[in-house]
Amino acid sequence: MPTIESDSQAPPPVADDAAARALSDAIDRVDVEAIQEAVDRLPAEDRPRILDQLGKERLDRLVTCIEPGDAAHLLETLPDAAIAATLERIDPGAAAQLLERLPSAERADLVQELSEDQAESVLDALPEAIANEARALSGYDPETAGGLLVTEVLSYADDRSVGDVVEDMRANAERYRAYDVQYAFVTDAAGRLRGVLRLRDLLLAPWSRRIAEIMIPDPIRVSVDETLDDLESLFDDHGFFGVPAVDTDDRLVGVVQRSRVEEALAERSESDYRKSQGIIGGEELRSMPTLLRARRRFAWLSINIVLNSFAAAVIALNEATLEAVIALAVFMPIISDMSGCSGNQAVAVSMRELTLGLIKPRDALRVWRKELSVGVINGLGLGLLLMIGGSIYAGNIWFGAVVGSALTLNTLIALSVGGLVPILLKAIKKDPALASGPILTTVTDMCGFLLVLTLASLMMDKLL
């Protein structure tokens, strides 16, 4: 985590714009040596920003000019969507060289991001074993153990000796150095997981001893189909850095790392947030084509303007009441906004419970009863507060009663809608994260305005 230095200390380094200019100039000259020198001088913390601002042509030229390993290391600092876009533009052979040097999990993620035709072209250019592995891993759901695991693990047959294993580690030290090694795994002749080998036990054991005698037998393992939520629970309960993943025949496939699970959980939260804010179609970065970004956003905004016109129609139909009691205009936004906040809380809880598998569409009635009980308590509390504020503002307790009652009733409506809409959308196989927000906003605005204006019309003789 970055630290904040005191005023007496030198300020932290800022982005080296001279290095960025040097890189751009070297790319324009196609001076490979100068490009490599400029890349080496780039501040690590500024690499994503500088690469993003190079532009498509310069970035493509950069990753095809320098060594594939260095290019892959550079690209890893960018979001997957940006890496995939680069791989789509360059020659499939060059893209394959970059993919080959990435970890297995990252490689599979990028294959899923590529278009079907480009993915096949790139996979055909990879060595057969790596291509087959990438195809297999990319076939898993990204939010399962199979979609998160890495295949870079140390695995040895149970008939090997300690000396065999140590010699293998020494002979392949350069390759294994890139692995996140915490344990070695022991398998039988068919590849089925038998045990876990602690490196400490390995180093302290006699070389002639069989590793099956010093392994920890029958370790905790997960199926490749284990869900992200199940993996979260497992790592919450155990302090593991990683856990082996096996197929239906108990054969070792790879390791699911805690860090990968945490990243996937964070990405899911960010994805749900983007959808709730109307960013549809997946990842959006400002380096993407402007027309594509505008089209995706407009699709959501155009639906919202149609929905919000219903709320505006309620005001138009009650214009006479609003003109007679102009103070209502001050409190109408409060009623709709506060109800919307309450409804969003209900949406968040329903979304979380749907994700965890705690509720199904058939539980809608139970969810509604639970939300109503919260709505009665919070609605009365908020309504009372607004009633006091409205009475003081207008100098009329009846005015306070109108706005307070409207907020109480609208809070009940908002909690009902917020709790039920995600469940109903899930039942018809629509994305709750994307559609719940606009529906809730429209209902709370329309009902809030309707309630306050209707109540005011009924109480008009006491408000004037």
Side-chain angles (χ1 to χ4, degrees):
M1 182 178 294
T3 57
I4 299 176
E5 299 181 351
S6 65
D7 293 338
S8 61
Q9 295 176 309
V14 297
D16 190 350
D17 291 331
R21 287 194 298 272
L23 176 60
S24 296
D25 292 342
I27 293 172
D28 291 340
R29 300 195 310 271
V30 198
D31 186 336
V32 177
E33 185 176 343
I35 290 173
Q36 187 64 62
E37 290 177 0
V39 166
D40 293 340
R41 288 198 300 270
L42 290 180
E45 66 275 13
D46 291 316
R47 286 185 176 185
R49 179 183 62 82
I50 292 171
L51 293 177
D52 183 64
Q53 294 179 3
L54 282 176
K56 297 175 185 177
E57 292 184 7
R58 284 195 180 111
L59 181 59
D60 295 350
R61 196 177 300 165
L62 168 63
V63 298
T64 52
C65 278
I66 61 176
E67 287 295 320
D70 294 336
H73 181 66
L74 265 183
L75 285 178
E76 277 191 287
T77 64
L78 296 174
D80 282 354
I83 303 174
T86 303
L87 297 179
E88 288 269 8
R89 294 191 302 266
I90 65 177
D91 178 75
Q97 288 186 322
L98 295 175
L99 274 183
E100 186 177 352
R101 287 157 177 82
L102 292 172
S104 56
E106 181 72 7
R107 190 185 303 132
D109 290 345
L110 289 172
V111 168
Q112 289 179 323
E113 291 274 349
L114 296 174
S115 66
E116 187 174 343
D117 291 343
Q118 183 71 1
E120 280 305 314
S121 297
V122 173
L123 288 171
D124 287 342
L126 282 169
E128 185 177 358
I130 295 177
N132 289 339
E133 178 189 87
R135 285 190 178 95
L137 293 182
S138 62
Y140 291 112
D141 187 306
E143 292 196 354
T144 63
L148 296 171
L149 63 81
V150 295
T151 59
E152 290 83 1
V153 298
L154 298 184
S155 174
Y156 299 97
D158 54 8
D159 60 352
R160 301 285 293 275
S161 69
V162 170
D164 293 335
V165 173
V166 173
E167 287 295 341
D168 176 76
M169 288 183 176
R170 287 178 175 175
N172 296 281
E174 189 65 30
R175 180 160 61 94
Y176 294 161
R177 191 171 289 120
Y179 292 12
D180 185 13
V181 177
Q182 301 293 335
Y183 300 95
F185 298 95
V186 182
T187 61
D188 63 15
R192 291 185 291 265
L193 180 64
R194 283 202 58 201
V196 170
L197 191 60
R198 293 184 298 197
L199 300 186
R200 175 181 178 276
D201 294 339
L202 182 71
L203 294 174
L204 297 178
W207 276 39
S208 60
R209 198 169 183 183
R210 289 176 61 243
I211 59 175
E213 298 174 24
I214 62 172
M215 71 181 185
I216 301 172
D218 196 26
I220 292 176
R221 81 275 317 265
V222 296
S223 163
V224 289
D225 297 320
E226 206 85 24
T227 66
L228 179 58
D229 295 303
D230 291 336
L231 293 171
E232 180 185 18
S233 298
L234 176 66
F235 283 111
D236 284 344
D237 294 339
H238 301 279
F240 301 147
F241 290 106
V243 62
V246 297
D247 62 16
T248 53
D249 295 320
D250 206 32
R251 290 190 296 260
L252 179 66
V253 180
V255 170
V256 180
Q257 299 167 331
R258 176 186 291 270
S259 59
R260 289 277 295 172
V261 171
E262 291 172 348
E263 289 171 10
L265 289 166
E267 171 56 31
R268 184 170 68 183
S269 297
E270 291 171 8
S271 176
D272 286 345
Y273 176 75
R274 288 195 301 269
K275 289 177 182 176
S276 69
Q277 299 305 306
I279 304 298
I280 61 177
E283 180 84 272
E284 180 181 320
L285 302 171
R286 291 189 174 88
S287 57
M288 292 178 173
T290 300
L291 288 178
L292 172 64
R293 295 171 56 226
R295 187 172 71 247
R296 285 178 172 180
R297 293 193 190 186
F298 186 79
W300 190 81
L301 293 171
S302 60
I303 294 172
N304 269 265
I305 198 170
V306 172
L307 293 174
N308 282 314
S309 65
F310 291 110
V314 172
I315 296 176
L317 293 172
N318 292 271
E319 189 174 352
T321 300
L322 190 56
E323 288 179 352
V325 188
I326 196 63
L328 291 172
V330 176
F331 285 84
M332 284 167 59
I334 298 175
I335 293 168
S336 62
D337 288 348
M338 288 303 303
S339 301
C341 290
S342 298
N344 280 325
Q345 291 174 332
V347 167
V349 174
S350 287
M351 290 289 297
R352 179 60 176 161
E353 290 189 337
L354 283 169
T355 300
L356 294 175
L358 299 178
I359 56 175
K360 300 289 184 185
R362 62 175 176 268
D363 298 315
L365 185 59
R366 180 176 66 85
V367 168
W368 185 45
R369 288 200 304 265
K370 293 282 188 180
E371 286 301 329
L372 279 182
S373 62
V374 173
V376 169
I377 297 170
N378 285 355
L380 288 173
L382 293 172
L384 180 60
L385 290 174
L386 194 63
M387 177 180 175
I388 294 171
S391 299
I392 295 172
Y393 177 83
N396 185 331
I397 193 171
W398 294 107
F399 179 88
V402 166
V403 295
S405 299
L407 179 56
T408 296
L409 295 172
N410 208 34
T411 298
L412 289 171
I413 294 171
L415 285 169
S416 299
V417 172
L420 293 177
V421 164
I423 299 173
L424 299 178
L425 289 171
K426 187 76 171 179
I428 60 174
K429 302 188 185 305
K430 300 296 182 182
D431 192 339
L434 183 60
S436 296
I439 294 173
L440 175 66
T441 299
T442 301
V443 171
T444 52
D445 285 354
M446 186 170 62
C447 291
F449 298 159
L450 181 62
L451 284 167
V452 72
L453 292 171
T454 300
L455 290 173
S457 298
L458 296 174
M459 303 287 291
M460 187 64 70
D461 59 328
K462 298 184 182 297
L463 299 180
L464 298 177

